[in-house]
Amino acid sequence: MSQQIAHPSDDQLLDLFNWASPGMVVTDSQGRVVIANKAAGELVGENAAAGQALPEALGIANYAALAEAGRPVENRAVIFTADAFPTGFANIGFGEVDGERYGFWALRPETIHPTPSPSPIEGAATAASWIGRVDARNAAYQPVTADSVALIQGYYDHCPVAIHLIEEDGTVSHANWKDIAIVGATEQPDTYVGHHIRHIYADQEVVDDFLGRWGEDAPIIDFRADFLNGGERVPVVIFSTANVADGKLRNTRCFVFSDNDPRRSRDRVAALDLAF
């Protein structure tokens, strides 16, 4: 599934992994955790520790068969230990790094209300509550360091979740194979990468709103929108945060999942009402 697509810089990959809004995990060939990010720890607790058996923790009984088949798995229903977020979905890809085979996992919780939205609500299981947990300081979490870059590159190359990084002017600076495929640019990635993100959103008021939020370091979590692929709408679920330093957007951390419920109504935005 890997293609010759340029990786983000080492610093960008480390930031992407450590502070992503979905759970990111790399497991060995037996499903034991090698590295996991903070969001994964918020979802599965101690089961995100190195050496833990992740498939069993998530209720995936047929992991050995999935790994043997080696095909990407999308939107597999799973269970979490997080009190307010007990259910969600896993995307799993398989591939090699330095001759060793790994599993690459993207975990997302089900929430009861997206951010942004025209009518924010309070609640332990809202998207706003989820990103609050991800962003909260936790001294027990030790961010991965440069010795994990090769594994994160493998994640970028093999995990079946669309990942793109957007610059301050709205340009897509990096996109992985899944992101390029979901917008129909596999044969010509440079028709997408290097261009404004506006071109792949079906509803322009949504992307206009998002562009303002990224600049304000405001998260977009569990939000249902439509991308465009050859003029056809593609229902997706977006988990996006911003890497901001000294008040300046360095790049976004955008994760885009194929919608597990594509018939569900698309979410709406309130025009740059950042008080959610």
Side-chain angles (χ1 to χ4, degrees), residues 91-93 104-106 154-162 176-178:
N91 284 22
I92 317 166
F104 302 95
W105 303 67
Y155 188 104
Y156 192 82
D157 291 341
H158 297 290
C159 189
V161 59
N176 75 339
W177 66 273
K178 181 64 175 177

Side-chain angles (χ1 to χ4, degrees), residues 58 60 73-78 88-92 105-108:
L58 296 175
I60 299 177
V73 176
E74 294 190 66
N75 292 328
R76 174 70 178 259
V78 293
F89 301 93
N91 284 22
I92 317 166
W105 303 67
L107 309 175
R108 63 181 173 99

Side-chain angles (χ1 to χ4, degrees), residues 131-145:
I131 195 60
R133 290 178 66 151
V134 173
D135 287 346
R137 186 178 182 277
N138 182 351
Y141 176 65
Q142 297 298 312
V144 300
T145 55

Side-chain angles (χ1 to χ4, degrees), residues 17 22-37 40 44 52-64 66-67 73 76-78 80 89-94 102-108 154-156 158-161 163 255 257:
F17 187 89
M24 298 173 70
V25 187
V26 179
T27 59
D28 66 14
S29 59
Q30 303 302 309
R32 295 182 294 259
V33 174
V34 180
I35 57 172
N37 71 350
V44 301
Q52 292 297 305
L54 187 62
E56 288 86 341
L58 296 175
I60 299 177
N62 66 334
Y63 179 74
L66 295 174
V73 176
R76 174 70 178 259
V78 293
F80 301 129
F89 301 93
N91 284 22
I92 317 166
F94 305 94
Y102 295 93
F104 302 95
W105 303 67
L107 309 175
R108 63 181 173 99
Y155 188 104
Y156 192 82
H158 297 290
C159 189
V161 59
I163 302 172
F255 294 76
F257 298 84

Side-chain angles (χ1 to χ4, degrees), residues 71-167:
R71 292 187 293 271
V73 176
E74 294 190 66
N75 292 328
R76 174 70 178 259
V78 293
I79 55 174
F80 301 129
T81 59
D83 48 0
F85 305 97
T87 59
F89 301 93
N91 284 22
I92 317 166
F94 305 94
E96 291 189 0
V97 176
D98 294 333
E100 298 290 332
R101 190 157 179 81
Y102 295 93
F104 302 95
W105 303 67
L107 309 175
R108 63 181 173 99
E110 289 186 287
T111 72
I112 62 172
H113 200 70
T115 62
S117 82
S119 54
I121 64 170
E122 299 293 331
T126 63
S129 175
W130 168 246
I131 195 60
R133 290 178 66 151
V134 173
D135 287 346
R137 186 178 182 277
N138 182 351
Y141 176 65
Q142 297 298 312
V144 300
T145 55
D147 57 357
S148 294
V149 165
L151 288 175
I152 304 172
Q153 289 176 337
Y155 188 104
Y156 192 82
D157 291 341
H158 297 290
C159 189
V161 59
I163 302 172
H164 58 249
L165 280 61
I166 301 171
E167 297 178 346

